[in-house]
Amino acid sequence: MYEQISHSLLNAILDDLKPEIRRQDLRHFYTRLGANFFAIHSLFSTLYGHRDDFADQMLKLVETMAMGYVDRSPESERLDINRETDHNWFLSQRWVGMALYTNGFADDLADLSQKVGYFQELGINMVHVMPILECPVGKSDGGYAVSNFRRIDGRVGDLADFQALSEQFRANGILLVLDIVLNHTSDEHVWALMAKQGDLEHQEYYYTFADRRIPDLFEQSMPEIFPETDPGNFTWNEEMQRWVMTVFHDYQWDLNYSHPAVFIAMLDIVLFWANQGVDVLRLDAVAFLWKKIGSSCQNEHKAHLILQLLKDCCQVTAPGVLFIAEAIVAPVEVAKYFGEDAIVAKECEIAYNATLMALLWDGIATKNTRLLREGIKSLPSKLDRATWLNYVRCHDDIGFGFDDSDIRAAGYDPSAHRRFLVDYFTGHYDDSARGLVFMRNEATGDARICGSLASLVGLEAALERQDARLTRQAIDRILLLHGVILSFGGIPLIYNGDALGVLNDYSFRDDPDKHEDSRWVHRPKINWQQAEQRKQPGTVEFEIFTAMQRMIAIRKQTSAFADFNNRELLPVANDHVLCYARSDGQQGANSVVVLANFDASPQQVELSDLCRHGMQQGLSHGANPGFNSHCTLTDLYTGAAPTQFDGGIVLSGYQFYWLRQQG
């Protein structure tokens, strides 16, 4: 009955479409709309069906999707059809990403177009261009306080420059990733400006209140995101004479998705950028999209409905475009952003694996893998047609949001262990790690860490001391961490400068717009003259770059590294070594076992351990005794056999193996 109602409404909507839409060739649009409309109507009705203007808003929603389709280029439409046919295309091992700030990696968008050769040299074919939309100078939150969602920040270029970049990337087989900030706008966005002027409709675009009664109820259960610089979740606006919800900074106003006009406006923005040649949209702060008194206002059920509706609408207009969920939340929550009770992703196809990132840093600090193993075991299962974005560093801080039960299972006290990690990475032990504390909350004791990969693993300190041994160790740590994310399952994302060993940049302390935000210490400007050292044997840059170049090339050739839920964690007796198997469903002989030593000293893993836990099938195709005598193991990374001694495989300090059976 309900489906009949939805399709009856669809017929009426199609009759009422604007003439300029009806005149277009909408064959593929109508096919996809018909296939998705029941879900779209159901979600839209759940969210907004109580409103008197529901039918009018539903018409506006369909018109927005239709106009987005009309504006789609023939090339984008061709890609849509190809990706619908090869719907697992993004699960392939051939994708390797890089995240960068335009004016940190290059001078501007035009200059970034000239850096394609660098991406090809390293093997990068997916580039996340960090926020480039217009923001107020001095109140930008690193690009996440957007004042105009359709205009490029003039300091990096304009829309024509972006379109040229998109064409350049597409011609060279590079996926373009762009941020869309869904949760909030700048207080200088036109919607906020109209709200300040007393426009009641646009005041409803945000959460605004005449007094503190409702804000105080919200505050009872809402955590603080930036307790040092922006305590609380509401800001008094003198011009409007109202309190406004500002979960992040006082100049970032949270959007009110209980108003359908907000959803439709943001969908229109998503489709606008999809039509500028963006392949993947990173949806920022998705955990915060729905607010409810008495909750943390994170991970609410209706936030998931918003994302499902956004995905269904985009599937109609631009089905070749993927979504990344930027949801840095508890492990049990993050997998929900793929979409629950499904096989294919109903919300976002890709999600940040922040848990793995934090666990890897724990391994570096403790030099063992006890918590790393427990955390990986607790990672929730993902959908078949969804994947993780695995990374070591990004533009943001490092938070140690492990599950307390995993910490206890690893033998640590949760509070004491988190304090240890903060102290370790701020150099309170041996001064090798050069991290900075970020947003320490004195009330809870919580704190996060900032710093570049190279400085956090000890390269900065080693170079200062001119200590060749410590320099080698730091380089090996960098390669070890990337050896994991390149083989773990998902899309590896390398951060700007990490392939060159770029150190902390302390110049932010002299910038009045940045000095209070220590995250700028790891948002450097690449020195391209220094980067030329990557071509000079004997330099740190050469050592790191050529090694990562080789790792990426091998990954792309290794079908077992594709992400088809084909990873098995192997419990080995040595606590310093992480071990997992990557199976190849098509060719069993191509399965790979990954070993990673997180200790500075050599470590041994018994071959019998690997066989006991089922690896005879992946490695030796026989019983346990046949493992050692009837097969030869080769490390894909070095091309050589692994070191063996007394029935075990030996790893040097911070060494990793990608092992495959030969013969």
Side-chain angles (χ1 to χ4, degrees), residues 455-617:
S455 292
L456 288 172
V457 299
L459 184 59
E460 181 179 336
L463 293 175
E464 283 180 3
R465 296 167 186 163
Q466 299 182 330
D467 188 315
R469 181 184 66 84
L470 292 179
T471 298
R472 183 68 255 173
Q473 274 193 356
I475 292 172
D476 289 342
R477 289 188 190 107
I478 291 172
L479 301 183
L480 171 77
L481 293 171
H482 284 92
V484 174
I485 69 165
L486 284 160
S487 62
F488 189 77
I491 301 173
L493 186 70
I494 299 167
Y495 184 57
N496 180 24
D498 285 354
L500 298 167
V502 172
L503 307 177
N504 282 350
D505 178 3
Y506 300 102
S507 65
F508 79 97
R509 291 169 170 165
D510 300 322
D511 187 328
D513 293 332
K514 299 176 180 178
H515 72 279
E516 291 185 342
D517 188 343
S518 55
R519 292 175 298 179
W520 288 103
V521 77
H522 56 254
R523 298 172 179 175
K525 176 78 173 177
I526 298 296
N527 181 332
W528 283 100
Q529 185 174 353
Q530 182 74 18
E532 285 297 305
Q533 293 294 309
R534 72 186 186 278
K535 302 173 183 176
Q536 183 62 44
T539 64
V540 168
E541 292 83 359
F542 178 85
E543 291 292 322
I544 298 172
F545 188 88
T546 55
M548 289 182 60
Q549 190 180 45
R550 177 174 174 78
M551 291 160 68
I552 290 169
I554 293 168
R555 168 191 160 81
K556 291 180 177 181
Q557 297 166 2
T558 307
S559 54
F561 289 164
D563 188 17
F564 293 102
N565 287 328
N566 52 332
R567 181 186 62 254
E568 178 189 2
L569 183 67
L570 303 181
V572 294
N574 191 324
D575 281 345
H576 299 287
V577 179
L578 176 67
C579 181
Y580 53 89
R582 300 301 315 282
S583 61
D584 187 328
Q586 302 299 317
Q587 304 178 62
N590 288 336
S591 297
V592 176
V593 171
V594 178
L595 296 172
N597 177 16
F598 279 76
D599 192 58
S601 302
Q603 300 294 327
Q604 183 165 324
V605 174
E606 301 304 317
L607 287 170
S608 58
D609 278 354
L610 301 181
C611 292
R612 186 179 306 116
H613 296 291
M615 283 318 299
Q616 67 270 22
Q617 204 171 30

